[in-house]
Amino acid sequence: MQGDTIVALSTPPGSSGIAVIRISGPDASGILESMTPGAMAWKQRTLYNRVLRDGDGEMLDDVVAAVFHGPNSYTGEDAVEISCHGSMQVVSAIIEESIRAGARLAEPGEFTRRAYLSGKMDLAQAEAVADLIASETRLQTRVALEHLEGGLSKKVNAIEERLRSKLALVEASIDFPEEDIETYTVADLAAVSDETRREISELLESEVAGGKLRRGIRITITGPRNAGKSSLYNALLGEERAIVSPIPGTTRDVLRERIHIGGFTYHLEDTAGLAETVCEIESEGMRKGREAACAADLVLFVVDAGEGWTGGALEELEAHAGRNRIVVVNKTDLVPGGGETADCSPAGEVRTVDVSAVTGEGLGRLREKIFEFTANGEVSSVSRERIALNIRQGMALRRAEEALERLGRELGMNSPAEILSLEIREALDACGEVTGRSAAEDILGEIFSNFCIGK
Ligand SMILES: Nc1nc2c(ncn2[C@@H]2O[C@H](COP(=O)(O)OP(=O)(O)O)[C@@H](O)[C@H]2O)c(=O)[nH]1
Ligand SMILES: [Mg+2]
């Protein structure tokens, strides 16, 4: 249990029907008692409808509140939850009164940090809380919930348990060399090491998907001026976000918005059209657009079906050679016959989709292609297993994998038990980082500082 008592608003700031304020720590009930006498004697985990008052007896709000006695609370400590009216004035007044009574304002993620420190959840589960809060699609939510329920932790714990039992045998042979005790065999250890490595590498396969699922996938729309990039951008967003006009050079800045396809978040960027220009602002816009395209996971190169590859468009496309790209042939509504891709596409370009940003024709197919070229490889395993490692978990498990690789080599060379034990310990230590059994303080700081306040 932590020494002090913290308070924070757990719902988003602003006007709402109800706002939830949480207090956690040894003085939680005492602080509530100062606003509504009798609270110390409340039955825990039971809702009470009471009036809260400040030190001068002035009414703060009419609320519904409950007390929780540690360890039966989110944080594992004594805690209070107050549902008050969702006015920022009411919320501030209750928080100020709590602070006057001895609480301090919670830091970002401090409630979850306390839950972790008091053993209510492990580190992988605490990270899942942040993922769950950030989730925007059903797939993101499902994966976060699976991790929160301990899906990843269970797999890692099983690996650790197996390694620990083998470590015991190896170390017994070091400590009691003379005695007739059960010891390890090289063959058995090698088999366990191989199987564990296979399991770890299976988990590591979900790391790419995990990155895409959490960070999102970047798509940059580029191509000649007036090809209809901004129109396509708006059509994909489903709103008139970018200015569309027949005047070339309308878009200058890089615009960014999020869309969702197949459970993944895509950061979609509209950029300035590519052309010879003397305009300083437009050149700067083009430079930023090219920079965005360089960093993108996928480039949508838009051309006007009526214009085709005239005016340097082909050279511009060449600049994206080797990049993950789709050629989008736009304005097919204007081309008689519905737009012949073959006429418009440069030799050898297979990833071409015909669309009309104005009529919406072809957009469904474009969405499918976007998904196919950015997430298809990962989605099936994530949907099935609902496990997707984050960068930190991936780094830890790679360290475990490397230690087991070395262990395999040492076993091959018939190395002494002391060396084998070192490698098994290293693998165990690395696995322990995933669940936080062996996580350093700076890692905790990094993880919880990314949370919102009140969680
Ligand atoms: N008929 C037709 N016109 C389009 C289509 N897409 C864009 N336009 C028009 O083409 C012009 C340039 O569009 P805009 O989106 O601003 O192009 P950008 O410069 O590439 O961003 C505008 O007048 C649009 O209305 C389309 O699919 N069909
Ligand atoms: Mg534009």
Side-chain angles (χ1 to χ4, degrees), residues 247-268:
I247 303 163
T250 302
T251 310
R252 304 279 175 90
D253 285 316
V254 177
L255 304 179
R256 286 191 190 88
E257 290 290 342
R258 295 198 308 281
I259 59 170
H260 300 117
I261 305 175
F264 286 78
T265 301
Y266 287 84
H267 303 280
L268 189 64

Side-chain angles (χ1 to χ4, degrees), residues 143-262:
V143 170
L145 284 173
E146 176 68 25
H147 285 219
L148 185 60
E149 292 296 298
L152 171 63
S153 310
K154 258 183 245 144
K155 285 185 192 265
V156 176
N157 287 338
I159 289 172
E160 282 190 67
E161 211 165 289
R162 191 178 324 131
L163 288 178
R164 213 172 284 120
S165 70
K166 295 300 156 191
L167 180 67
L169 295 181
V170 172
E171 299 206 329
S173 79
I174 302 171
D175 296 339
F176 313 104
E178 308 298 321
E179 286 166 46
D180 187 18
I181 48 162
E182 186 195 354
T183 180
Y184 68 96
T185 67
V186 168
D188 176 45
L189 214 50
V192 167
S193 162
D194 284 351
E195 192 194 335
T196 310
R197 251 171 68 190
R198 225 177 0 259
E199 280 174 27
I200 291 179
S201 78
E202 257 171 42
L203 283 174
L204 281 169
E205 273 171 27
S206 73
E207 196 186 1
V208 175
K212 288 182 180 175
L213 207 58
R214 291 184 183 85
R215 279 194 309 277
I217 300 167
R218 243 175 108 170
I219 307 179
T220 302
I221 303 178
T222 184
R225 282 160 148 190
N226 255 9
K229 298 179 296 302
S230 299
S231 305
L232 178 69
Y233 181 71
N234 290 342
L236 286 170
L237 290 181
E239 63 173 296
E240 299 302 309
R241 170 71 177 83
I243 300 173
V244 165
S245 92
I247 303 163
T250 302
T251 310
R252 304 279 175 90
D253 285 316
V254 177
L255 304 179
R256 286 191 190 88
E257 290 290 342
R258 295 198 308 281
I259 59 170
H260 300 117
I261 305 175

Side-chain angles (χ1 to χ4, degrees), residues 2 45 48-49 77 79 84 91 128 157 159 205 303 362 453:
Q2 308 291 301
R45 297 169 148 253
Y48 287 80
N49 178 205
E77 310 174 314
C84 61
V91 166
N157 287 338
I159 289 172
E205 273 171 27
V303 284
I453 290 186

Side-chain angles (χ1 to χ4, degrees), residues 208-209 212 217 261-262 264 266 324 367-383:
V208 175
K212 288 182 180 175
I217 300 167
I261 305 175
F264 286 78
Y266 287 84
N324 192 14
R367 276 195 201 91
E368 281 169 20
K369 288 284 166 199
I370 288 172
F371 186 74
E372 186 182 332
F373 295 137
T374 53
N376 219 14
E378 287 83 31
V379 74
S380 61
S381 79
V382 176
S383 309

Side-chain angles (χ1 to χ4, degrees), residues 299-318:
V299 171
L300 297 184
F301 195 92
V302 184
V303 284
D304 182 328
E307 302 279 326
W309 296 100
T310 55
L314 198 54
E315 289 73 36
E316 283 296 345
L317 178 69
E318 282 316 308

